[in-house]
Amino acid sequence: MSESSAAAADAVAARFEELYGSAPDGVWAAPGRVNLIGEHTDYNDGFVMPFALPHTAVAAVSRRDDGVLRLHSDDIGGRVVELAVDDLAPESDKRWTAYPAGVVWALREAGHAVTGADVHLASSVPAGAGLSSSAALEVVVALALNDLFGLGLRGWQLARLSQRAENVYVGAPVGIMDQTASACCEAGHALFLDTRDLSQRQIPFDLAAEGMRLLVVDTQVKHSHSEGEYGKRREGCEKGAALLGVDALRDVPYGELDAALARLGDDEEVRRLVRHVVTEDHRVEQVVSLLESGDTRAIGPLLIEGHASLRDDFRVSCPELDLVVDTAVSAGALGARMTGGGFGGSAIVLVEEGDVPAVTKAVEEAFAAAGFTTPRVFEAVPSAGARRVR
Ligand code: GLA
């Protein structure tokens, strides 16, 4: 653990003690993520390739056995919220507390005897930036309760339960990528995940060793109205699968894409969604084989292609994200794309180490010239997944 994360764990533990009157049983951390490639494929049983950010949600937690759940965060809300575990009910809570409470609900619904807890949370994952701040909150609580109640669940199981909390308790129809990334990523690696069976492969991804960097550009555009649009894309994909007679779009082989599109006739909306998902799954497989053969720079054009597909076919980009990608590539970046659900949030930029200042400056100047809010640019190093830190 780095000195700064040890200090963060100490600070969260000290705040817990102030709030609840005794030291926590432990402190856990779970990261946000960026997705290198494989966007809007996870709810189509396809492939994704996220890696964990150094930014984490940190939870100090003590177990309780009296059915009481107390939740607190200084980031949001600022007061202790007290709930009864027996009363937790899906879609009853529109506050931030729905994420941790939803995890308690999902664990109990799955038959695990979670009898209450005191929780204090602090997160450095930017909210609304498409970097999975909500998955980090869910996974850190799931891991803490797994340890404190001796549940013996594995990372992928904690991810599934966290996704269930978000789908059913919070009411957002998200896929499995973000929670799995937060629970299962490893430092120095990207996670190649098959979202159908959750089989995983850790792919070494050490850009610094090869003289490159990956920048995250948070456009500061919060994904407004994104949930309705996200649900619509998901329904459109399911319609496409049904029309093609497959369980999920993952089952349409890349080599049969043209034939599949021809079978969809003039349903242009569905044709575009299908084309994105099938080509995106193919791009993930290409990126994996390039990284495994040490040809890292060659992934750049695939990132750019992926962005064009999300912009033109899937239509989940926005002017700010497009400006990041176009400007970065013109300024010499190897590749760039939006990351996460879209409609705002962040883009990633793959760049030679020596080009970082020029590319950053070009993006900032282009935003100023367009009258957009100044973006937040930071370097992303593939970091550790969820773990106990104290
Ligand atoms: C959001 C969802 C994920 C995934 C991405 C798009 O981050 O939470 O499940 O669908 O969008 O790839």
Side-chain angles (χ1 to χ4, degrees):
M1 193 178 21
S2 73
E3 261 176 50
S4 64
S5 58
D10 289 348
V12 172
R15 182 73 175 119
F16 179 100
E17 193 162 348
E18 230 171 80
L19 288 159
Y20 296 117
S22 58
D25 292 342
V27 181
W28 290 259
R33 62 97 190 92
V34 291
N35 188 19
L36 184 61
I37 190 86
E39 218 65 84
H40 289 277
T41 48
D42 63 349
Y43 50 84
N44 292 295
D45 278 4
F47 305 122
V48 295
M49 212 180 167
F51 66 83
L53 290 170
H55 308 70
T56 57
V58 179
V61 184
S62 283
R63 162 189 176 134
R64 296 179 68 111
D65 295 306
D66 60 357
V68 172
L69 175 64
R70 293 195 290 179
L71 301 168
H72 178 271
S73 167
D74 288 309
D75 308 335
I76 7 168
R79 62 181 188 88
V80 175
V81 173
E82 187 168 325
L83 303 162
V85 294
D86 283 336
D87 295 344
L88 300 177
E91 302 202 41
S92 59
D93 187 353
K94 297 293 161 212
R95 299 164 298 182
W96 71 274
T97 45
Y99 297 97
V103 169
V104 174
W105 171 83
L107 284 164
R108 289 169 57 84
E109 191 220 22
H112 302 294
V114 173
T115 49
D118 286 337
V119 181
H120 166 61
L121 285 154
S123 182
S124 61
V125 186
L131 302 174
S132 296
S133 59
S134 43
L137 279 189
E138 293 154 6
V139 169
V140 77
V141 170
L143 181 64
L145 297 174
N146 185 46
D147 286 359
L148 291 176
F149 288 92
L151 306 179
L153 298 168
R154 315 254 314 264
W156 65 269
Q157 293 171 301
L158 298 176
R160 270 269 182 256
L161 287 161
S162 297
Q163 182 201 18
R164 181 147 178 84
E166 188 150 347
N167 288 169
V168 181
Y169 196 89
V170 177
V174 296
I176 191 67
M177 169 169 70
D178 303 347
Q179 291 79 7
T180 312
S182 188
C184 301
C185 278
E186 289 179 9
H189 294 78
L191 176 71
F192 175 38
L193 175 71
D194 180 336
T195 64
R196 170 161 278 167
D197 62 7
L198 297 191
S199 58
Q200 322 182 346
R201 205 149 89 217
Q202 301 286 347
I203 310 284
F205 190 55
D206 182 0
L207 291 171
E210 296 186 61
M212 283 172 283
R213 294 286 187 267
L214 196 124
L215 304 177
V216 175
V217 182
D218 172 5
T219 63
Q220 311 266 16
V221 179
K222 305 288 172 206
H223 22 186
S224 52
H225 310 301
S226 64
E227 278 176 23
E229 289 296 324
Y230 185 96
K232 276 193 217 156
R233 298 302 183 285
R234 191 171 174 151
E235 280 163 26
C237 289
E238 282 159 10
K239 182 177 170 197
L243 289 170
L244 292 167
V246 291
D247 286 343
L249 292 182
R250 172 330 178 14
D251 297 310
V252 179
Y254 179 70
E256 290 169 27
L257 175 60
D258 288 344
L261 293 177
R263 281 176 54 206
L264 291 170
D266 56 11
D267 193 337
E268 189 52 25
E269 177 63 29
V270 173
R271 282 164 54 94
R272 288 176 174 208
L273 299 178
V274 170
R275 188 162 53 215
H276 168 72
V277 173
V278 175
T279 57
E280 184 78 351
D281 272 336
H282 184 57
R283 281 186 285 274
V284 179
E285 292 183 290
Q286 289 174 283
V287 166
V288 170
S289 64
L290 287 168
L291 292 181
E292 288 190 326
S293 61
D295 205 357
T296 308
R297 284 178 174 76
I299 73 172
L302 291 164
L303 304 185
I304 300 170
E305 255 179 49
H307 184 78
S309 179
L310 288 160
R311 181 191 61 210
D312 303 336
D313 273 345
F314 220 69
R315 280 164 297 148
V316 292
S317 189
C318 66
E320 291 83 353
L321 288 167
D322 295 341
L323 188 62
V324 176
V325 172
D326 293 345
T327 310
V329 172
S330 307
L334 296 159
R337 61 182 286 275
M338 54 158 276
T339 191
F343 308 104
S346 301
I348 53 172
V349 179
L350 179 69
V351 66
E352 298 287 358
E353 189 182 337
D355 291 337
V356 170
V359 169
T360 306
K361 187 162 174 271
V363 170
E364 285 168 354
E365 284 177 359
F367 266 57
F372 294 157
T373 306
T374 312
R376 209 168 74 87
V377 185
F378 62 92
E379 195 188 314
V381 180
S383 301
R387 69 252 178 223
R388 187 170 188 155
V389 291
R390 198 181 132 128

